[in-house]
Amino acid sequence: MWPAPLQARDLVAVVAPSGPVDPGRLARGVTMVESWGLRVRIAPHAFDGHGRLPYLAAADEDRADDLTQAWCDPAVRAVWAARGGYGAQRIIDRLDVGVLGAAGPKHLIGFSDVTALHARVGRELGAVTIHGPGLASDQQLTDRANAAALRNLLLGRPVTRQLLLTGRPLVHGRAAGMLVGGNLSLLASGVGTEPAPEVPVVLVLEEVNEPAYRVDRMLTQLIRSGWLDRLAGVVVGDLGLPDDTLVLDRLGGFGVPILTGAAIGHAARNIAVPLGADVRLEAGPDEASLTLA
C-alpha cells in the first residue's frame, strides 16, 4: 500500500530510533523539508542520549514511544528517521504493529540501521516505505538528485514505468518483483527473527565499513538460510568493495539479473527508492535500470 502523497502544510515527525543525533545537522535537514512547504516536529527524546550506552539516541522505551506516538498521531503524515547508526533492532519488539496499522498508512523514511524498521513495518502493515537519507544526513540532502528523488516519492504519485535509478549491468536479464532489502548487516542479523520473503523479490543492498570477508559471510548467511530463495533480481548499491568480484561469486549463481553501481548507500549520493513496491529490473548489454512495474 502506498501512503497518500504529502501536501502543503502536512506534518512530518522526526524520530531517532537508532544512534545519537547531531542537532546542527538535523536543523539543516529540517530547513530543506520546510522549504517544500511541509511542517516538521521533532520527537521529545530525539536528543536525550543514553546514560550508559553512548551509541544510542535514548533509552529503548523512549525511542519506541517516540516512534509509536508519532505514527499514531492523526496529524502526522510521515515519520522520518534522523539517522541510522545502531539501535532500531532493540525497539522492534516494543512496537505494537496492530496499533500502528490502525493508525493508517504513513510514509517511513530512513536507511542503514532503519532497514530493521522497513522490514517489520513494511511487512506487517503491507506498506511501501522509503529507503533514503535520514533527515540529519545533511551532506546527502544537499545533493540535488537525492533531494529530487525524495521529493518525488513523498509528494508525487507513483507512475507505471517511472524510472527509479540506473546502473551498470553485471548479469543481463529482466526481472519483476517486490523491492526489498537495505543494509546488508541488518538483513543478515535479522535471519531467524524476520521471515524470508514469500513472493519474488528484487533485492537492494548497501553496506559501509565492512571488509570483503564480512560482506561474503553476510551474503553467505542469507543464501544458506533460504532468505534468497525467491530472488528475482539484485540491485547493488555501495558495498565498500573495490569491484564486483565478490557479488558475482556469491549471487551470480542465482541466474538473475544484477544491476550494480547503484547510487545507494553511505556515499554522497543516496537515491531514495520505495521498498515494498512492485518494480521491474532490466539489465541490458550496455545499461541497467530499475523502474516501477
Side-chain angles (χ1 to χ4, degrees), residues 47-272:
F47 302 123
D48 278 8
H50 190 292
R52 300 185 309 279
L53 304 175
Y55 50 81
L56 297 176
D60 290 351
E61 58 268 27
D62 291 334
R63 301 195 323 279
D65 286 348
D66 277 357
L67 195 154
T68 298
Q69 290 175 17
W71 196 278
C72 293
D73 185 338
V76 171
R77 299 291 309 285
V79 177
W80 204 322
R83 59 159 297 190
Y86 172 75
Q89 284 185 319
R90 292 175 56 117
I91 69 171
I92 284 179
D93 295 325
R94 293 177 178 270
L95 302 176
D96 188 327
V97 292
V99 171
L100 300 184
K106 304 191 180 191
H107 294 281
L108 173 66
I109 310 105
F111 85 114
S112 193
D113 191 61
V114 183
T115 295
L117 297 177
H118 285 303
R120 178 64 64 90
V121 172
R123 183 186 68 253
E124 295 292 341
L125 274 59
V128 173
T129 63
I130 298 177
H131 181 281
L135 201 54
S137 301
D138 57 340
Q139 293 182 334
Q140 290 186 342
L141 293 175
T142 58
D143 181 274
R144 291 185 178 181
N146 291 343
L150 279 166
R151 188 166 182 170
N152 287 341
L153 289 177
L154 286 170
L155 280 69
R157 293 188 179 277
V159 178
T160 301
R161 303 298 292 175
Q162 177 179 331
L163 179 64
L164 298 173
L165 55 81
T166 60
R168 304 186 304 272
L170 183 61
V171 177
H172 297 162
R174 296 180 177 180
M178 182 174 69
L179 189 65
V180 301
N183 182 261
L184 178 58
S185 294
L186 271 294
L187 296 174
S189 62
V191 169
T193 57
E194 301 295 331
E198 298 180 349
V199 298
V201 296
V202 174
L203 175 68
V204 59
L205 294 173
E206 65 88 14
E207 190 49 84
V208 63
N209 296 333
E210 293 286 358
Y213 79 90
R214 291 185 181 178
V215 174
D216 185 326
R217 183 172 65 197
M218 290 184 283
L219 289 173
T220 301
Q221 170 76 349
L222 293 179
I223 294 168
R224 295 186 63 230
S225 70
W227 204 90
L228 300 181
D229 286 355
R230 302 303 303 273
L231 189 66
V234 183
V235 174
V236 182
D238 185 3
L239 293 176
L241 301 175
D243 54 41
D244 295 316
T245 301
L246 175 55
V247 171
L248 193 58
D249 177 89
R250 291 285 69 202
L251 301 179
F254 283 90
V256 302
I258 301 178
L259 180 159
T260 190
I264 292 177
H266 287 72
R269 182 153 292 178
N270 183 21
I271 298 296

Side-chain angles (χ1 to χ4, degrees), residues 11-55:
L11 181 61
V12 174
V14 183
V15 297
S18 305
V21 180
D22 182 306
R25 297 182 64 177
L26 180 58
R28 290 188 284 273
V30 169
T31 297
M32 183 201 73
V33 171
E34 289 178 338
S35 75
W36 296 350
L38 302 173
R39 296 178 296 128
V40 179
R41 185 178 71 202
I42 299 174
H45 301 288
F47 302 123
D48 278 8
H50 190 292
R52 300 185 309 279
L53 304 175
Y55 50 81

Side-chain angles (χ1 to χ4, degrees), residues 260-283:
T260 190
I264 292 177
H266 287 72
R269 182 153 292 178
N270 183 21
I271 298 296
V273 293
L275 299 180
D278 292 327
V279 298
R280 181 177 297 276
L281 173 61
E282 298 188 24

